[in-house]
């Protein structure tokens, strides 16, 4: 090809700073190597990395210098800098090094370029090259932030799906070792006191609700796995304290209406029991309009039993009727007369032909055995339902 034709086809000859551009191209490899050498000398985290990751960082540094050279050739180009620079490294690199470390890597790389502007720029081009480098570094900073923001969004979306799967497994009773592994990937550290809370989810963006739960949990020093399922907000909470304290700490993001706390369990595999009790309690809350907020699922045992919850019926028989029967017939008889026929100690004493102090003593024993006080209206209602269910059970009828 004739010399004139070659010159016409050479875009560098038309570049206003062609000599500087040629020097940049010839020095790219040396600059990248110098940048890696400086990183090895100045950045302890770089020296501690596995060889594979150091190799990827070297490619990113090399790509950054090459991309700067290309950008200097065509400063009007709209090609994404993030594609030029970070496209050479795998997505996993954003997990291997932090945003702070990436900023240090970029700064070190372009400090090397800046330190050699005197030899890279053709005579008279020093200020042009320095200004171009400053503009490019600004663009690469934005590109770096974009790459990490996209990676964080991707991780956040994946974590949200993973968390939803874990909470759904707890609700459906499908917890297994795989669920424990997924929970561990979300940072769950297996607290030994776990309670499940159920209530109505507020209208609006469910992500905002979930984030509000997480903020409340951080403030209360609790671990949570949470999600919105239809109109229900579900929270699996782990930490110290009784269920009501935990529920009160997390209640603000719930919509108006009842919030039910299931019983405390010892691990995530057992959390289904707490979730099922809370779900049954939430369903039965309509029968107790004056229930406190939040309310324990065990405080709703009579309503749950009447709503058809088999576990609540069994619990009332096992925890109230059976212990009373084992403690002697006198307790059952006294409680029955007091609740169902008389309305006072004196009335029960007359019907039982005993002294009122004897009735008083036996009722205290009922409280000691069951944890429910016959003199309290709410507890008396629970005890009465337990008596009915216990008699049905003894008669061979499934309560």
């Amino acid at each position: 090809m004739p010399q004139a034709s070659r010159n016409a086809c050479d875009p560098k000859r038309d570049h206003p700073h062609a000599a500087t551009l040629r020097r940049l191209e010839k020095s790219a490899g040396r600059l990248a190597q110098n940048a890696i050498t400086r990183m090895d000398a100045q950045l302890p985290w770089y020296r501690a990395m596995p060889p594979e990751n150091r190799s990827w960082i070297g490619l990113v540094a090399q790509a950054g210098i090459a991309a700067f050279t290309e950008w200097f050739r065509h400063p009007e180009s709209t090609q994404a800098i993030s594609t030029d620079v970070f496209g050479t490294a795998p997505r996993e690199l954003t997990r291997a090094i932090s945003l702070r470390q990436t900023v240090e890597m970029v700064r070190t790389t372009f400090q090397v370029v800046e330190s050699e502007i005197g030899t890279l720029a053709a005579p008279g081009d020093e200020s042009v090259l320095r200004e171009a480098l400053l503009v490019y570094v600004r663009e690469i900073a934005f590109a770096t932030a974009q790459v990490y923001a996209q990676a964080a969004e991707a991780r956040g979306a994946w974590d949200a799906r993973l968390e939803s799967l874990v909470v759904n497994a707890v609700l459906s009773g499908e917890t297994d070792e795989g669920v424990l592994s997924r929970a561990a990937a979300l940072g769950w550290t297996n607290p030994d006191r776990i309670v499940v809370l159920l209530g109505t989810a507020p209208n609006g963006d469910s992500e905002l609700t979930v984030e509000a739960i997480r903020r409340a949990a951080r403030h209360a020093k609790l671990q949570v796995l949470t999600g919105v399922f239809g109109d229900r907000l579900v929270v699996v909470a782990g930490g110290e304290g009784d269920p009501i304290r935990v529920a009160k700490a997390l209640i603000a993001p719930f919509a108006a209406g009842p919030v039910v706390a299931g019983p405390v369990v010892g691990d995530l595999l057992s959390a289904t029991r707490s979730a099922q009790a809370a779900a049954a309690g939430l369903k039965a809350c309509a029968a107790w309009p004056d229930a406190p907020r939040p309310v324990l699922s065990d405080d709703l045992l009579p309503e749950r039993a009447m709503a058809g919850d088999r576990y609540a019926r069994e619990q009332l028989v096992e925890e109230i009727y059976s212990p009373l029967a084992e403690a002697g017939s006198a307790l059952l008889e006294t409680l029955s007369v007091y609740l169902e026929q008389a309305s006072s100690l004196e009335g029960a004493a007359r019907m039982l032909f005993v002294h009122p102090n004897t009735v008083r003593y036996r009722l205290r024993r009922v409280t000691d055995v069951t944890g429910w006080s016959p003199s309290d209206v709410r507890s008396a209602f629970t005890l009465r339902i337990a008596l009915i269910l216990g008699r049905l059970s003894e008669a061979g009828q499934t309560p």
Side-chain angles (χ1 to χ4, degrees):
M1 179 181 293
Q3 182 67 33
S5 298
R6 287 199 302 270
N7 292 342
C9 296
D10 186 0
K12 297 177 188 176
R13 291 185 60 84
D14 298 328
H15 196 279
H17 307 287
T20 299
L21 181 59
R22 284 194 296 270
R23 293 186 183 189
L24 277 175
E25 291 175 336
K26 292 179 180 179
S27 304
R30 177 179 58 80
L31 291 172
Q33 186 57 49
N34 290 347
I36 294 171
T37 301
R38 182 175 291 193
M39 280 189 275
D40 189 64
Q42 296 182 354
L43 305 179
W45 58 264
Y46 174 79
R47 293 193 299 272
M49 296 188 82
E52 181 182 7
N53 288 341
R54 289 203 302 272
S55 175
W56 283 119
I57 289 176
L59 288 178
V60 170
Q62 186 174 351
I65 294 172
F68 171 63
T69 303
E70 186 61 28
W71 182 83
F72 187 75
R73 177 185 289 110
H74 302 293
E76 74 286 352
S77 174
T78 58
Q79 185 177 12
I81 291 175
S82 59
T83 302
D84 293 341
V85 178
F86 297 101
T88 60
R91 182 178 300 177
E92 290 76 10
L93 190 62
T94 58
R95 292 179 180 270
I97 64 174
S98 66
L99 176 59
R100 178 186 61 80
Q101 292 170 336
T102 303
V103 170
E104 289 179 350
M105 174 190 70
V106 172
R107 179 188 294 119
T108 302
T109 299
F110 288 100
Q111 280 176 347
V112 168
V113 178
E114 185 179 21
S115 67
E116 298 199 26
I117 283 180
T119 57
L120 293 173
D125 281 355
E126 291 84 359
S127 61
V128 173
L129 184 59
R130 182 173 285 105
E131 182 179 348
L133 183 63
L134 290 174
V135 173
Y136 183 79
V137 168
R138 182 193 66 188
E139 295 300 321
I140 203 70
F142 286 127
T144 302
Q146 182 180 13
V147 167
Y148 275 82
Q150 290 172 344
E153 288 176 0
R155 286 196 297 272
W158 170 250
D159 286 351
R161 289 193 293 270
L162 196 62
E163 186 171 11
S164 180
L165 288 173
V166 172
V167 176
N168 186 63
V170 170
L171 289 175
S172 62
E174 298 176 354
T175 52
D176 54 20
E177 293 299 326
V179 170
L180 295 181
S181 297
R182 297 186 188 101
L186 294 167
W188 185 262
T189 59
N190 298 319
D192 55 8
R193 291 179 60 85
I194 299 171
V195 62
V196 178
L197 310 177
L198 264 72
T200 304
N203 296 326
D205 191 342
S206 61
E207 292 184 5
L208 296 178
T209 301
V210 168
E211 184 54 36
I213 289 287
R214 293 198 182 107
R215 284 198 302 271
R218 287 194 294 269
H219 181 73
K221 294 180 173 55
L222 298 169
Q223 295 185 56
V224 293
L225 298 168
T226 185
V228 175
F229 297 83
D231 63 346
R232 285 187 176 182
L233 174 57
V234 183
V235 181
V236 181
E240 296 299 324
D242 62 87
I244 288 297
R245 187 195 74 81
V246 171
K248 286 181 177 179
L250 303 177
I251 200 172
F254 285 86
V259 175
V260 182
V264 173
V265 294
D267 55 61
L268 195 59
L269 293 177
S270 305
T272 293
R273 180 164 59 86
S274 183
Q276 290 175 342
L282 190 62
K283 177 182 176 182
C285 260
W288 188 13
D290 297 327
R293 185 178 188 268
V295 61
L296 294 176
S297 60
D298 281 359
D299 289 343
L300 288 158
L301 282 174
E303 287 81 9
R304 288 167 52 193
M306 297 178 72
D309 182 0
R310 177 172 60 88
Y311 296 105
R313 295 178 177 183
E314 292 175 353
Q315 188 173 344
L316 285 168
V317 173
E318 292 174 2
E319 296 184 2
I320 296 179
Y321 187 85
S322 295
L324 287 175
E326 293 171 2
S329 60
L331 291 187
L332 275 177
E333 182 184 18
T334 302
L335 180 63
S336 176
V337 169
Y338 178 77
L339 293 178
E340 299 173 356
Q341 300 182 46
S343 57
S344 65
L345 292 173
E346 292 75 13
R350 286 194 299 270
M351 298 185 71
L352 294 168
F353 302 103
V354 297
H355 193 277
N357 285 342
T358 302
V359 175
R360 184 178 290 107
Y361 167 76
R362 291 176 180 175
L363 294 181
R364 282 202 300 267
R365 287 281 296 136
V366 169
T367 302
D368 293 339
V369 170
T370 67
W372 299 85
S373 172
S375 61
D376 176 77
V377 175
R378 178 68 192 174
S379 295
F381 173 62
T382 302
L383 290 167
R384 190 165 185 176
I385 296 297
L387 288 178
I388 295 171
L389 294 173
R391 291 168 187 155
L392 290 173
S393 178
E394 281 192 342
Q397 300 182 38
T398 302

